[in-house]
Amino acid sequence: MVKYVKGSPQRLAIFKSCAERKTVGYHASLVLDIPTRWNSTYMMLDVAEKYESAFELMLDEDVSFGNNLCEDGGGKRRLGVPLDEDWKNVRNFAKFLQVFYGVTIEISGSSYSTSNNYFNILQNVYNTLIEYCESDDDLLSSMAIRMKMKYDKYWGNFEKINPLLFVAAVLDQRYKIIILEFWFKSNVGEEKAERIITKLKNTLEQLYNHYAKNVANVGGSGDKSNEEQSCGNSASVGAGTSTTSRSKKNVLTDFHSFRASKNLALCRTETERYFAEDVEPPCKTFDALMWWKINSSKFSVLAEVARDVLAIPITIVAFESAFSTGGRVIDPFRSSLAPKTVEALICTQNWLKSSWVNENDELHLPTAFGTGNVWNSGVVACCLLVET
């Protein structure tokens, strides 16, 4: 149908006239799918079903349109004019493919962090496949079952998935550990959920300890030493002024001394304090990196962890390749690239995708290129290439 309408300017003009008379509240152009691009199939179905009434009116007015749907020029039979059941299938397939289209767009983003969205994407795809596997529509059900088998092959065993992907979700204030624990217990059972959460906590604790040492080396004191010093100071203040406080009946000093001696919230690590806070309400525009930037003074070590973990993209697969059904062939030359060469290519790709810097603009480089020095953007590129 779409191919016929877009086959000539005259047919397209007739179709637009039909859409105007049917007062279709939609103005997007028809999309013709490409056999090797599944996203084009989704876009074609999504647009076409909104013009259902316009197609039906054109069938009534253009006899050759109906004849073309019934047979081609060589007399070969075709599927014929679409029935109500066919339009229903179009809507169902568009709704089904919309989930995966949206997921692909989201994980292919390059101007925002994506690793913290991994868990939401994973459970969204999982729930969608489960829902359609149990669908009454045999065609959709069979397709979902085949997709679920492939999903299980790569993502079915949560214990074998890189734990850093879950750490990124924990560092998103909308999820934290409590949301992940709730979802795992609901979908994989109590026992398996406990193993996954324990492994996740251990991974985060290892990261925290590693970064705490770095912070201590750079700043002269780590989070742990700061906390111990804070608790120690509170305890010493309480002990040193115990008699004086009691004699003056200073309840605030006595209370804080008691709190420090009991090793309560004042002596908690950053991870414990972070988990103790409530999760943020659901918000599509929530910026996890900005949250950590604002709260870096409160969670100095965890902010360093978040800065590095959230910078990891979910995938480096090209946007176009994610939509391709034609497969990808890697010849021996490409598969034998040295790690430094691959790093250089990825870095160059990042430059090409980023916004251009005016050649007259000046950039302040980090310490590696000399503190306080001002370099021209062209010199920056040369230095980076030499380093690579």
Side-chain angles (χ1 to χ4, degrees):
M1 292 176 66
V2 175
K3 186 177 181 180
Y4 176 86
V5 171
K6 293 176 69 71
S8 70
Q10 293 79 11
R11 296 172 188 170
L12 189 58
I14 295 173
F15 177 79
K16 289 181 178 179
S17 175
C18 293
E20 290 175 0
R21 280 181 285 163
K22 281 294 184 178
T23 62
V24 177
Y26 194 73
H27 303 288
S29 301
L30 293 173
V31 178
L32 185 62
D33 72 324
I34 303 172
T36 58
R37 300 279 179 178
W38 68 264
N39 63 314
S40 65
T41 303
Y42 159 71
M43 290 187 288
M44 179 184 69
L45 296 177
D46 184 53
V47 175
E49 67 94 8
K50 294 178 174 62
Y51 287 110
E52 177 183 355
S53 58
F55 278 117
E56 291 176 346
L57 180 59
M58 186 171 177
L59 282 169
D60 294 335
E61 297 184 355
D62 188 351
V63 179
S64 60
F65 186 17
N67 293 336
N68 182 268
L69 293 177
C70 293
E71 62 179 50
D72 61 10
K76 185 179 179 180
R77 296 289 300 175
R78 288 181 172 173
L79 296 177
V81 177
L83 306 176
D84 292 339
E85 185 68 21
D86 297 319
W87 285 112
K88 180 181 177 181
N89 289 333
V90 167
R91 283 186 284 272
N92 289 339
F93 269 96
K95 182 180 177 182
F96 179 67
L97 292 175
Q98 183 181 24
V99 176
F100 303 96
Y101 179 80
V103 163
T104 307
I105 295 294
E106 187 173 356
I107 66 175
S108 300
S110 58
S111 59
Y112 54 88
S113 62
T114 59
S115 57
N116 57 307
N117 298 323
Y118 157 77
F119 174 73
N120 184 52
I121 291 172
L122 185 71
Q123 63 90 23
N124 187 24
V125 171
Y126 177 84
N127 293 337
T128 300
L129 291 176
I130 292 296
E131 177 187 350
Y132 279 94
C133 283
E134 300 171 354
S135 173
D136 296 331
D137 190 317
D138 294 337
L139 188 59
L140 274 178
S141 177
S142 61
M143 180 185 297
I145 290 173
R146 293 195 299 272
M147 294 176 69
K148 179 65 167 56
M149 292 173 61
K150 184 166 288 188
Y151 173 92
D152 290 338
K153 177 181 178 181
Y154 295 100
W155 305 103
N157 191 342
F158 295 109
E159 295 180 85
K160 293 184 177 181
I161 296 176
N162 190 333
L164 274 181
L165 291 171
F166 292 118
V167 169
V170 171
L171 294 173
D172 189 320
Q173 295 70 36
R174 296 168 296 177
Y175 304 109
K176 293 192 175 181
I177 199 77
I178 189 171
I179 301 296
L180 272 70
E181 187 174 6
F182 171 79
W183 189 84
F184 280 125
K185 287 183 178 180
S186 302
N187 291 273
V188 300
E190 295 276 346
E191 184 179 348
K192 192 172 182 179
E194 287 295 335
R195 291 200 304 269
I196 296 173
I197 294 300
T198 301
K199 180 181 179 181
L200 177 56
K201 288 181 177 179
N202 292 337
T203 303
L204 183 60
E205 189 66 26
Q206 291 173 7
L207 281 171
Y208 175 83
N209 292 334
H210 174 76
Y211 277 80
K213 292 178 182 177
N214 293 339
V215 171
N217 293 334
V218 174
S221 61
D223 178 72
K224 185 176 180 180
S225 61
N226 288 337
E227 289 166 354
E228 290 174 349
Q229 183 180 359
S230 174
C231 294
N233 289 342
S234 298
S236 62
V237 168
T241 60
S242 177
T243 305
T244 307
S245 299
R246 288 191 177 89
S247 63
K248 295 182 179 180
K249 296 182 180 181
N250 190 334
V251 66
L252 288 176
T253 305
D254 285 347
F255 172 76
H256 286 292
S257 177
F258 168 78
R259 190 179 181 88
S261 66
K262 292 296 184 181
N263 193 29
L264 295 176
L266 191 62
C267 295
R268 283 179 175 173
T269 63
E270 283 187 14
T271 51
E272 291 174 333
R273 296 203 309 271
Y274 174 66
F275 290 145
E277 293 186 359
D278 199 8
V279 295
E280 294 285 336
C283 178
K284 291 184 178 180
T285 59
F286 180 78
D287 190 339
L289 285 173
M290 181 58 67
W291 190 95
W292 282 107
K293 181 179 179 180
I294 295 172
N295 291 274
S296 59
S297 58
K298 183 165 57 172
F299 303 107
S300 58
V301 178
L302 279 180
E304 294 288 329
V305 177
R307 184 189 65 181
D308 291 345
V309 172
L310 296 180
I312 304 172
I314 293 180
T315 179
I316 58 172
V317 174
F319 179 81
E320 297 80 8
S321 299
F323 288 124
S324 176
T325 60
R328 189 175 183 183
V329 178
I330 301 180
D331 55 44
F333 176 76
R334 289 191 62 182
S335 62
S336 62
L337 294 178
K340 282 194 173 183
T341 307
V342 174
E343 184 180 359
L345 291 173
I346 294 174
C347 188
T348 305
Q349 183 186 45
N350 187 42
W351 293 342
L352 294 174
K353 288 185 177 180
S354 62
S355 57
W356 286 98
V357 178
N358 193 302
E359 62 179 3
N360 296 322
D361 291 344
E362 294 178 332
L363 299 176
H364 292 274
L365 292 185
T367 311
F369 294 98
T371 305
N373 292 335
V374 179
W375 296 61
N376 183 272
S377 58
V379 179
V380 175
C382 292
C383 290
L384 291 174
L385 285 173
V386 170
E387 287 292 315
T388 303

